[in-house]
Amino acid sequence: MQNIKQAAELIKNARYGVAFTGAGISVESGIAPFTGAGGLWNRYDPKFIEINFFNMHPAESWREMKKIFFTDMEESHPNKAHEVLAKLEQKGFLKGVITQNIDGLHQKAGSKNVQEFHGTIHTLSCTGCGKKYSLDDIDLTEEPPYCICGGVLKPDFVFYGEGIPYLPYQKSTEMAQNADVMIIVGTAGQVMPACSLPLAAQEHGAKIIEVNPQPSAFTGTVTDLYFPVKAGEFFAELEKEI
């Protein structure tokens, strides 16, 4: 694979390496992306994860969420890309991962410092009292599931119309600004404010390695090394070099 040795050297010599991942990294784990070929929004109307719709129609929203998110994501497993990113962190080549994904596959693979920019499906919060629950403790046959206080439970991922949680936003921004190498994997770079993070990394002097079968908004602007391949293929080759 052309330039793989150069990418490996950048990663091995990084003072502060960071990965920035999107839906594309989880496609090889059987999770459909939101947009593009086979994208969820080509088949479903995303109104069910608009916060105003959820507040007015929680049962309908939960019915769609269970069908589209919870079954596939709960049953999915990390792929080669997740696994190698976790190994890079264990070896000290990466400080952590910033992910736009809500599937928890980075943690399943063994990554420790994971900033979930858009939240997670694995915890829920009461819209009434704010009490948090683990997904494992909730009976999803209820539509919607309720808190012990009687409030409706909402998954802890960012719905349309909601802001990014403060701590993940702050920590992700700090990581991007401190990075001297950033590996972008499987994101089109079209969702704000997440897509500003690679720009911040580049502005602070980071070298940008991008892995994406199709060019993204980053490819012709901030990317230094571009690999137009699937994530699993790239990381299998990278592992041989590191």
Side-chain angles (χ1 to χ4, degrees), residues 23-24 26-27 30-44 68 72 214:
S26 294
V27 168
I31 298 175
F34 293 105
T35 58
L40 288 171
W41 301 156
N42 297 336
R43 291 175 279 153
Y44 301 100
I68 296 169
D72 285 349
Q214 303 297 325

Side-chain angles (χ1 to χ4, degrees), residues 200-216:
Q202 188 217 29
E203 287 171 1
H204 285 78
K207 292 291 185 182
I208 309 294
I209 300 165
E210 181 183 0
V211 184
N212 234 334
Q214 303 297 325
S216 73

Side-chain angles (χ1 to χ4, degrees), residues 187-201:
T187 177
Q190 297 174 339
V191 177
M192 282 292 289
C195 66
S196 67
L197 295 171
L199 303 179

Side-chain angles (χ1 to χ4, degrees), residues 8 14 17 28 30 39 64 81 83 93 121 127 132 145-146 150 152 164 172 176 180 186 192 198 203 209 220 228 239:
E28 292 170 77
E64 292 297 302
E83 292 165 358
F93 297 137
I121 66 164
T127 55
K132 277 193 177 290
Y146 289 98
V152 172
I164 304 300
S172 297
D180 58 347
M192 282 292 289
E203 287 171 1
I209 300 165
E239 187 176 31

